Amino acid sequence: EKVGELRTYINSLPLTERWDYLSAMNNNLVYAMAVENLLGIEVPERCQWLRMILSELQRIASHLVFVGTFGLDVGAHTPFLYCFRDREKILDLFEEFCGARLTYTCMRIGGLCGDTPDGWIEGVANFLDYLPPMLDEIDALLTGNEIFRQRTKNIGIMPPELAISYGASGPFLRGSGVKFDLRRAQPYLKYPEVDFDIPVGQTGDCYDRYACRFEEIRQSLKIVRQCLERLPEGDVQAKLPKTIKPAPGETYTCIESPRGEL
């Protein structure tokens, strides 16, 4: 019965990927961390750094989709092609790591699906050197385009108070000038040990929301580089308990009726 409970926790991982197909890796992570906190599982240090690398690469891939499609929506076609070209390089790294390109089920309760394959770390390092000049080119095509600026500045203004009242989060909230990032406000993994800035907007318009995401890509590159420099040797999977006993009052169980109702 106890083994069945642990299997249920693991079987739920693929469900988290469907929350956001552009951020499947991060959704795997938050669920795995929730279960680990519930069961009191300590994740190996190497795994924590690798999780950060994977999460920040996923953030970059997601923001590249936003930047490319946002530019397309306001009439810029070329940046869309460039962004998806560069996103493919991240998906190639994910495929090498876990065999998938969209829904990864890469995280595990207590660790990862496996350690880095041969040459993977070097591939990430090469990507860190490759992307910055590509971002400069995309930046010139969009940020430096007067038509793009006219179509995004002072459009769709979301004041900070309104953004908070609507429950906005992530770069949408930060685009309104609210300097709130869970990696700083509620630190996890090894984020307290790395240096990065939190971009915020000034006006809360479409341009600020774009600019925040664009700068977050650069900050994610900075984080990944620090992770590679500090990545230790060791295990990537914690030893899991043989029995699952969450603290009383921390969980509840849905009981299925004979008719299949909950």
Side-chain angles (χ1 to χ4, degrees):
E1 175 66 19
K2 298 301 181 182
V3 174
E5 290 180 13
L6 181 56
R7 186 178 299 118
T8 300
Y9 282 126
I10 296 173
N11 288 350
S12 298
L13 266 171
L15 301 178
T16 66
E17 297 161 344
R18 278 69 185 172
W19 297 341
D20 179 359
Y21 283 109
L22 296 179
S23 193
M25 195 74 76
N26 302 61
N27 291 335
N28 279 169
L29 174 61
V30 296
Y31 172 75
M33 289 177 59
V35 176
E36 290 157 5
N37 290 336
L38 179 66
L39 303 181
I41 297 172
E42 185 175 351
V43 177
E45 188 170 348
R46 177 176 175 84
C47 174
Q48 294 186 50
W49 288 104
L50 284 175
R51 281 181 169 184
M52 285 175 60
I53 292 172
L54 292 166
S55 297
E56 294 304 320
L57 288 176
Q58 179 74 96
R59 188 188 307 274
I60 294 170
S62 177
H63 284 358
L64 284 173
V65 172
F66 174 90
V67 171
T69 54
F70 183 61
L72 190 65
D73 286 342
V74 297
H77 182 71
T78 303
F80 170 81
L81 301 176
Y82 288 0
C83 287
F84 271 71
R85 172 202 61 192
D86 297 337
R87 175 175 175 265
E88 282 295 302
K89 296 186 180 298
I90 298 177
L91 300 190
D92 288 343
L93 290 169
F94 287 165
E95 186 175 18
E96 290 179 29
F97 192 92
C98 64
R101 299 177 65 85
L102 184 65
T103 52
Y104 311 104
T105 318
C106 177
M107 307 294 174
R108 292 290 189 273
I109 308 302
L112 293 167
C113 62
D115 208 335
T116 57
D118 292 341
W120 193 82
I121 295 297
E122 291 76 8
V124 174
N126 291 336
F127 177 75
L128 297 181
D129 294 334
Y130 161 84
L131 191 60
M134 301 300 106
L135 291 177
D136 292 341
E137 190 171 11
I138 296 169
D139 192 17
L141 289 170
L142 289 177
T143 312
N145 188 319
E146 183 59 31
I147 296 176
F148 176 83
R149 297 169 69 90
Q150 289 179 4
R151 292 177 177 177
T152 56
K153 278 187 169 291
N154 297 314
I155 303 296
I157 296 176
M158 177 72 70
E161 299 80 9
L162 187 59
I164 293 172
S165 70
Y166 280 1
S169 62
F172 192 103
L173 177 64
R174 292 188 285 274
S176 293
V178 181
K179 197 170 186 177
F180 181 82
D181 190 318
L182 281 175
R183 294 171 295 177
R184 285 279 190 252
Q186 298 178 20
Y188 56 96
L189 297 177
K190 296 293 184 178
Y191 281 108
E193 300 182 26
V194 297
D195 175 52
F196 65 96
D197 298 324
I198 303 174
V200 293
Q202 301 296 323
T203 308
D205 54 12
C206 289
Y207 180 84
D208 279 350
R209 290 188 283 274
Y210 150 81
C212 278
R213 286 179 171 89
F214 204 97
E215 180 57 29
E216 283 188 12
I217 295 177
R218 300 187 190 276
Q219 295 301 317
S220 289
L221 290 173
K222 183 178 178 181
I223 292 172
V224 175
R225 193 175 297 277
Q226 294 174 76
C227 290
L228 290 183
E229 294 171 352
R230 304 184 186 188
L231 183 64
E233 298 295 330
D235 297 329
V236 296
Q237 178 65 48
K239 292 184 179 180
L240 299 178
K242 294 182 179 180
T243 58
I244 308 301
K245 294 184 66 176
E250 293 294 325
T251 64
Y252 67 91
T253 303
C254 292
I255 302 177
E256 187 173 353
S257 71
R259 294 184 297 173
E261 300 172 348
L262 296 180

